[in-house]
Amino acid sequence: MKRLLSQIYNKVSKDLFGAGTTLLKVTVDQNIITLQAKHPRASRSAALEGEVPSLKLEVDFHLSLLFKKKFRTQVEEQTGWNIEAILRDYDSFTQFAFTNIVLK
């Protein structure tokens, strides 16, 4: 299960950001699955951060929403799980992301 979730996470990441993760750890605690990831810094992201920081924050926010939507769809399709929520926090400074899957 952890391997499948890692594969799905990296596929969605590659599709949206052009790269997978440099670190990915999956932990399970009852009905909550947590994925801890470190993403490589994209050159486009660094350029935006230097020139238009507010636009970079907005782009990061919307990409995170899109990531959750695509990740949820893929996980539900490939596992048959009934997901109650996907919660994700991404820190653009360190490139760390924590994604929680809450199962019903």
Side-chain angles (χ1 to χ4, degrees):
M1 175 195 53
K2 290 181 180 183
R3 174 183 263 171
L4 177 61
L5 289 172
S6 295
Q7 290 170 344
I8 295 169
Y9 189 100
N10 270 312
K11 181 180 183 329
V12 173
S13 183
K14 286 176 186 176
D15 289 348
L16 287 178
F17 311 121
T21 60
T22 58
L23 169 75
L24 183 58
K25 181 179 177 186
V26 180
T27 56
V28 180
D29 183 21
Q30 295 180 344
N31 69 325
I32 298 175
I33 301 165
T34 301
L35 294 98
Q36 303 170 44
K38 181 156 176 64
H39 293 266
R41 183 173 288 277
S43 58
R44 291 173 284 191
S45 186
L48 269 179
E49 191 170 50
E51 293 296 317
V52 191
S54 61
L55 179 58
K56 185 198 179 295
L57 288 174
E58 187 172 341
V59 168
D60 284 347
F61 173 76
H62 288 286
L63 283 172
S64 192
L65 291 177
L66 186 55
F67 182 93
K68 289 191 317 183
K69 180 180 177 182
K70 289 181 174 286
F71 184 64
R72 179 184 193 135
T73 299
Q74 290 295 312
V75 170
E76 286 180 333
E77 286 177 1
Q78 294 188 42
T79 64
W81 292 344
N82 192 1
I83 296 175
E84 187 169 350
I86 294 203
L87 310 167
R88 185 169 196 262
D89 193 19
Y90 169 74
D91 180 63
S92 63
F93 181 72
T94 62
Q95 304 297 304
F96 277 105
F98 285 78
T99 304
N100 292 303
I101 302 169
V102 181
L103 301 173
K104 288 186 180 176

